[in-house]
């Protein structure tokens, strides 16, 4: 069994084994002609059920053959140009290389004595990101598992900074967090985890472009303080998950300043603009934030996980600091030993930063920005196609790379029937595997969604998928007419 341990004597087996895996994936990528096979849960579950985990195959080739059946054959492939659904990007090769290196060396970024150079590399990338944002000389941050954790940590810091009373046992039910009605659900989840009251998150309506209405925000902030409540934080979303819309950051910054509220910018999606060569101005005002969430695994073309939370004032990260004698005793702070665990919600933590490092060292930030600009341009073209297409109703001209639309045949007037046709079209398309699209609700009605993150997707792909959707929707409506007769 020792032959499976990665060490000085097994270097050759390591090379062979990983190369075999890489060959399988490379062959798969080269021959995948659809983003999905359309496999059903019922078809796939028995294959996985049948695997006896207590009877190992004992052989890499056999395990990879089995993996073909239980995973590789039917996985959802984000690199395919007709995968248009969620915020998943195709990944860049330098980052995948970084992933291979980081898992083999297996540094843990909690303490200097478990990572050495990894700690400094992560710190340099955090500084690079805060400079791109413009957070100023006292800024800091830490890599996290994703936007959900980044938002949670940001709101933890905001809560600790806002706690009314000095005894540290303040009335948390008085704290209020303001976020638009289309902000990410992790804001509400965080409020719950942070022990805030059930009414803690105040939902602010959005305008026609799905941007937080600042007049409504000002009104709610005033109401909150008049009622003796504490405006703990405003979450501005720079790139909503559903629409890619960007809240008016400068106006929100003004209001935060006026009411002493922590300004958190959830840039999980829109952070790609930090590298943009053309559209950086769309997130102007982000430099005024107290904290920012970025998901490199969404718009920097990085493999999951790769995210960070950045803060204007490094001192606020102390709210996540606990010392353990065995790990990061207080004296290490005096000795200036850099222990990232002092800033993190996690303890053992992956060296995800290496992926971004390799990306920047091979491609450079402009390379990433150019790819993100391309998908933003593609979305603008897609919007024109949809706006000119009488079969479709499209909402919101894109600020990033998302298109939300709905099939609306002239012959059908019942909106509920149109809902069902759109829901059916999404399901039928998924089952066919020809393309994968997402869906959401707008004003109570079912819409479909393209999240464009693949620069290889063309306007021809968009047109073709729109035809496929229309075909499925028409089939549904035709059959439902038959059913009615
Ligand atoms: C995706 C997303 C999140 C959550 O990030 P994860 O990396 O999935 O945890 C938070 N906010 C916004 C706006 C997002 O789009």
């Amino acid at each position: 069994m020792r032959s499976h341990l990665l060490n000085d004597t097994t270097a050759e087996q390591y090379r062979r084994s990983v190369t075999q895996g890489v060959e399988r994936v490379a062959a798969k990528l080269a021959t995948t002609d659809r983003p999905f096979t359309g496999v059903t849960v019922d078809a796939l579950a028995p294959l996985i059920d049948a695997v006896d985990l207590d009877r190992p195959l004992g052989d890499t080739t056999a395990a990879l053959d089995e993996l073909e059946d239980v995973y590789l054959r039917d996985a959802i492939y984000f690199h395919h140009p007709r995968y248009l659904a969620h915020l998943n990007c195709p990944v860049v090769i330098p980052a995948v290389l970084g992933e291979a290196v980081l898992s083999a060396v297996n540094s843990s970024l909690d303490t200097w004595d478990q990572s050495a150079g990894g700690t400094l590399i992560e710190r340099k990338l955090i500084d690079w990101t805060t400079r791109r944002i413009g957070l100023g000389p006292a800024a800091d941050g830490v890599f996290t598992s994703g936007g959900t954790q980044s938002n949670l940590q940001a709101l933890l810091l905001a809560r600790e900074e806002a706690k009314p009373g000095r005894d540290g046992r303040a009335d948390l039910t008085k704290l209020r967090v303001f976020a638009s009605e289309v902000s990410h659900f992790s804001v509400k989840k965080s409020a719950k985890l942070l022990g805030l009251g059930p009414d803690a998150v105040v939902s602010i309506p959005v305008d026609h472009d799905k941007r937080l209405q600042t007049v409504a925000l000002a009104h709610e902030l005033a109401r909150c303080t008049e009622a003796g409540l504490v405006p703990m934080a405003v979450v501005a979303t720079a790139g909503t998950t559903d629409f890619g819309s960007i809240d008016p950051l400068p106006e929100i910054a003004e209001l935060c300043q006026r009411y002493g509220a922590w300004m958190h910018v959830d840039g999980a999606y829109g952070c790609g603009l930090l590298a943009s060569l053309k559209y950086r101005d769309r997130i102007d005002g982000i430099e005024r934030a107290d904290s920012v969430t970025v998901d490199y695994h969404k718009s920097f073309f990085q493999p999951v996980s790769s995210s960070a939370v950045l803060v204007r004032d490094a001192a606020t990260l102390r709210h996540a600091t606990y010392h353990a004698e065995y790990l990061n005793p207080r004296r290490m702070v005096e000795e200036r030993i850099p222990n990232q665990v002092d800033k993190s919600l996690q303890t053992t933590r992956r060296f995800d930063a290496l992926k971004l490092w390799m990306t920047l060292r091979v491609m450079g930030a402009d390379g990433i920005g150019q790819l993100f600009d391309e998908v933003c341009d593609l979305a603008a073209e897609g919007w024109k196609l949809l706006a000119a297409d009488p079969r479709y109703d499209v909402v919101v001209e894109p600020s990033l790379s998302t298109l939300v639309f709905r099939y609306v045949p002239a012959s059908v007037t019942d909106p509920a029937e149109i809902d069902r046709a759109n829901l059916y079209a999404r399901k039928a398309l998924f089952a066919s595997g020809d393309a994968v699209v997402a869906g959401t609700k707008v004003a109570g009605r079912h819409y479909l969604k393209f999240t464009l993150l693949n620069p290889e997707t063309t306007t021809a792909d968009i047109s073709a998928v729109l035809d496929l959707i229309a075909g499925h929707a028409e089939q549904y409506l035709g059959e439902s007419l038959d059913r009615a007769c």
Side-chain angles (χ1 to χ4, degrees), residues 125 129 143 294-302 306-308 356:
L125 288 164
T129 308
F143 273 68
V294 301
D295 262 0
Y296 307 107
H297 64 214
K298 281 179 182 162
S299 47
F300 273 68
F301 305 94
Q302 300 293 295
S306 184
S307 176
L356 181 59

Side-chain angles (χ1 to χ4, degrees), residues 87 145-149 151 183-184 186 237-241 266-269 293 295 297-298 307:
L87 274 162
S145 60
T148 302
Q149 189 190 149
N151 284 347
S183 63
H184 194 262
S186 55
T237 311
T240 59
T241 317
D266 180 358
Y269 176 13
T293 287
D295 262 0
H297 64 214
K298 281 179 182 162
S307 176

Side-chain angles (χ1 to χ4, degrees), residues 128-136 238 246-247 249-250 265 270-289 292 294 300 312 365-366 369-370 372-373 376-377 399-400:
W128 178 86
T129 308
T130 60
R131 267 201 300 280
R132 289 245 159 193
I133 299 170
L135 285 180
I246 299 169
D247 289 341
L249 304 178
V265 175
C271 62
L273 294 185
L274 293 171
S276 168
L277 309 176
K278 292 161 75 176
Y279 306 119
R280 171 61 177 79
D281 60 339
R282 292 181 184 175
I283 48 169
D284 280 355
I286 193 171
E287 71 284 353
R288 297 182 63 181
V292 177
V294 301
F300 273 68
R312 159 176 308 285
D366 287 357
Q370 197 180 323
F372 193 60
D373 285 349
C376 292
D377 290 337
S399 302
L400 295 172

Side-chain angles (χ1 to χ4, degrees), residues 240-395:
T240 59
T241 317
D242 257 357
F243 305 98
S245 48
I246 299 169
D247 289 341
L249 304 178
E251 290 86 344
I252 291 171
E254 283 305 312
L255 287 167
C256 285
Q257 197 170 14
R258 188 179 323 154
Y259 286 91
W262 180 280
M263 177 177 176
H264 176 61
V265 175
D266 180 358
Y269 176 13
C271 62
L273 294 185
L274 293 171
S276 168
L277 309 176
K278 292 161 75 176
Y279 306 119
R280 171 61 177 79
D281 60 339
R282 292 181 184 175
I283 48 169
D284 280 355
I286 193 171
E287 71 284 353
R288 297 182 63 181
D290 293 297
S291 58
V292 177
T293 287
V294 301
D295 262 0
Y296 307 107
H297 64 214
K298 281 179 182 162
S299 47
F300 273 68
F301 305 94
Q302 300 293 295
V304 177
S305 296
S306 184
S307 176
V309 61
L310 298 315
V311 297
R312 159 176 308 285
D313 178 3
T316 58
L317 289 171
R318 74 183 182 284
H319 298 306
T321 309
Y322 287 85
H323 292 286
E325 270 312 312
Y326 72 90
L327 188 69
N328 60 334
R330 207 174 291 274
R331 68 168 183 280
M332 283 189 175
V333 179
E334 278 118 56
E335 291 168 25
R336 303 194 45 236
I337 295 167
N339 289 330
Q340 293 292 85
V341 70
D342 295 351
K343 310 173 187 179
S344 176
L345 299 187
Q346 294 168 266
T347 309
T348 305
R349 190 162 54 83
R350 289 164 57 82
F351 183 21
D352 285 318
L354 184 61
K355 295 179 278 193
L356 181 59
W357 179 270
M358 292 302 289
T359 303
L360 294 182
R361 297 314 291 145
V362 176
M363 300 169 61
D366 287 357
I368 290 295
Q370 197 180 323
L371 293 177
F372 193 60
D373 285 349
E374 282 177 34
V375 294
C376 292
D377 290 337
L378 176 68
E381 289 302 312
W383 189 82
K384 283 186 210 155
L385 281 178
L386 277 160
D389 191 331
R391 297 172 300 175
Y392 288 99
D393 170 34
V394 58
V395 292

